[in-house]
């Protein structure tokens, strides 16, 4: 049985019980696991993580688990902290750290990479200011997905389009953390991309 490992922040964590290595949380990872019963699914997302935090635990929480696929969704906290704490989370630093993670994966495992696009919705209003910081980071993930021949799951445009159609609060009331509907949309987008990828 092949293993899919999910890495990221609170969106991936989704309230999982970290004392239980099999806990998947209550978000998109758990939904995907139900869609793919033929795979072993692991969730190692950690709420609040920046890219640097994920990097620091990547050996233990990814490489050592020897997964067949590693799916990563990281970046919104790098943007968030630059506004809430005036922390330096430059695009160049984000690129460098993300690249280190992918290089380590390529060098130490045979895992196929799946990169998910970070996103933000314009609710509340101050989230609109975040676009100037997040958009270049989204571009970095796109470029890295191309460079490392990873499966790419675009989320930002899709979730914003859903917010326009259904109401932003129905998707992520704080612009970041998805509702059940938001998680369903993420799971559906990931599943659609993954099944197309694996059928090639």
């Amino acid at each position: 049985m092949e293993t899919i490992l999910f890495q990221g922040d609170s969106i991936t964590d989704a309230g999982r019980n970290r004392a239980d290595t099999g806990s998947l949380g209550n978000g998109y990872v758990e939904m995907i696991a139900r869609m793919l019963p033929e795979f072993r699914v692991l969730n190692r997302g950690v709420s609040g993580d920046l890219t640097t935090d994920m990097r620091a635990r990547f050996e233990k929480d990814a490489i050592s688990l020897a997964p067949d696929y590693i799916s990563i969704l990281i970046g919104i906290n790098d943007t968030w902290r630059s506004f809430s704490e005036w922390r330096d989370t430059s695009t160049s630093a984000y690129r460098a750290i993300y690249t280190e993670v992918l290089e380590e994966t390529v060098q130490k495992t045979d895992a196929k990479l799946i990169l998910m696009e970070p996103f933000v919705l314009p609710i509340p209003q101050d989230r609109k200011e975040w676009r100037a910081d997040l958009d270049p980071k989204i571009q970095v993930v796109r470029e890295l997905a191309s460079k490392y021949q990873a499966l790419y799951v675009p989320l930002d445009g899709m979730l914003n389009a859903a917010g326009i159609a259904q109401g932003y609060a129905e998707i992520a009331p704080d612009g970041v953390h998805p509702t059940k509907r938001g998680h369903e949309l993420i799971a559906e987008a990931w599943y659609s991309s993954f099944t197309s990828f694996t059928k090639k």
Side-chain angles (χ1 to χ4, degrees):
M1 179 179 287
E2 290 190 311
T3 298
I4 306 171
L5 169 70
F6 288 87
Q7 265 296 346
D9 49 37
S10 59
I11 302 167
T12 300
D13 183 323
R16 71 182 178 89
N17 176 4
R18 292 181 211 164
D20 176 4
T21 58
S23 176
L24 299 178
N26 301 303
Y28 78 89
V29 175
E30 188 271 336
M31 295 173 183
I32 289 168
R34 283 191 273 112
M35 295 174 180
L36 295 170
E38 68 273 26
F39 287 86
R40 175 178 179 238
V41 174
L42 299 176
N43 187 348
R44 293 297 184 271
V46 174
S47 182
D49 264 14
L50 280 72
T51 312
T52 50
D53 300 313
M54 184 185 72
R55 174 72 184 92
R57 59 182 179 78
F58 206 74
E59 175 67 37
K60 175 176 69 74
D61 284 350
I63 302 299
S64 69
L65 300 174
D68 299 283
Y69 299 88
I70 296 179
S71 179
I72 300 174
L73 171 56
I74 198 80
I76 190 58
N77 285 330
D78 295 73
T79 290
W80 197 327
R81 297 301 182 274
S82 71
F83 285 88
S84 66
E85 301 174 8
W86 298 101
R87 192 183 299 188
D88 179 14
T89 58
S90 68
T91 299
S92 59
Y94 178 74
R95 181 192 299 276
I97 296 162
Y98 210 136
T99 299
E100 286 180 9
V101 167
L102 300 183
E103 278 294 323
E104 182 175 16
T105 301
V106 169
Q107 292 173 14
K108 294 184 178 180
T109 79
D110 293 321
K112 298 176 182 67
L113 292 164
I114 304 166
L115 306 188
M116 302 173 73
E117 189 174 85
F119 60 87
V120 67
L121 275 59
I123 180 173
Q125 287 291 313
D126 66 357
R127 299 299 191 251
K128 293 179 181 178
E129 300 173 13
W130 292 17
R131 293 240 62 104
D133 186 272
L134 184 64
D135 284 351
K137 291 181 170 68
I138 290 174
Q139 185 59 38
V140 165
V141 183
R142 291 172 179 168
E143 292 169 1
L144 291 175
S146 177
K147 178 180 178 180
Y148 287 92
Q149 298 182 309
L151 172 62
Y152 189 72
V153 185
L155 296 179
D156 187 65
M158 180 273 290
L159 291 172
N160 273 275
I164 292 169
Q166 303 172 35
Y168 292 114
E170 296 299 314
I171 309 302
D174 67 352
V176 174
H177 297 97
T179 58
K180 180 181 179 183
R181 180 56 184 150
H183 276 289
E184 287 173 349
L185 290 168
I186 293 170
E188 289 163 7
W190 191 98
Y191 178 80
S192 177
S193 296
F194 182 76
T195 52
S196 296
F197 182 62
T198 53
K199 286 176 182 176
K200 289 180 179 179

